[in-house]
């Protein structure tokens, strides 16, 4: 079970790190021009950067506390926060008619539930 939790947390951390880095590093106009970038409409550039920064922090919070054995309770807390972020992402993609992206974010939500329950 521990190995499965590490794999799930590592996968979520990789997704969070890449997704967050993209949001922080790429300007809003370029994100909007990408396929599936319609979600950026109506969201300020600062909000996009803030979401990206939260995702980067989540990437570290999903693995480092347990890895370093410093406040390991932060892993499930981070997973719960990631769940909240994925509820928003799933809702947004669903409203935009992006069913595939909504399903992907729902799957990330499920992985976060697994990590949160397994680590609490």
């Amino acid at each position: 079970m521990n190995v499965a939790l590490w794999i799930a947390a590592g996968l979520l951390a990789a997704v969070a790190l890449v997704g967050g880095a993209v949001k922080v590093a790429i300007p809003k106009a370029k994100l909007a021009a990408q396929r599936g970038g319609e979600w950026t409409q109506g969201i300020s550039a600062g909000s996009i950067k803030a979401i990206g920064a939260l995702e980067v922090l989540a990437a570290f919070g999903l693995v480092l506390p347990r890895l370093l054995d410093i406040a390991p309770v932060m892993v499930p807390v981070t997973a719960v926060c990631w769940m909240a972020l994925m509820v928003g992402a799933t809702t947004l993609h669903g409203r935009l008619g992006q069913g595939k992206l909504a399903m992907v974010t729902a799957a990330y939500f499920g992985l976060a539930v697994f990590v949160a329950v397994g680590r609490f």
Side-chain angles (χ1 to χ4, degrees):
M1 181 67 138
N2 190 43
V3 172
L5 288 167
W6 272 110
I7 291 170
L11 177 64
L12 285 176
V15 166
L17 186 61
V18 171
V22 165
K23 288 175 187 75
V24 169
I26 297 178
K28 178 184 174 181
K30 237 181 184 179
L31 283 174
Q34 293 178 350
R35 192 172 140 231
E38 297 87 10
W39 68 271
T40 61
Q41 302 306 315
I43 300 175
S44 71
S47 293
I48 293 171
K49 301 274 186 223
I51 291 168
L54 289 173
E55 288 180 356
V56 170
L57 290 173
F60 295 119
L62 284 165
V63 292
L64 285 183
R66 182 97 176 162
L67 184 67
L68 300 175
D69 198 29
I70 300 173
V73 73
M74 290 309 296
V75 172
V77 169
T78 303
V80 169
C81 293
W82 181 259
M83 289 163 48
L85 189 63
M86 290 301 101
V87 166
T90 302
T91 303
L92 180 65
H93 289 303
R95 285 183 185 165
L96 293 173
Q98 299 172 330
K100 289 180 183 177
L101 289 174
M103 289 174 56
V104 169
T105 55
Y108 294 152
F109 177 88
L111 276 175
V113 169
F114 176 67
V115 171
V117 169
R119 293 292 185 208
F120 264 131

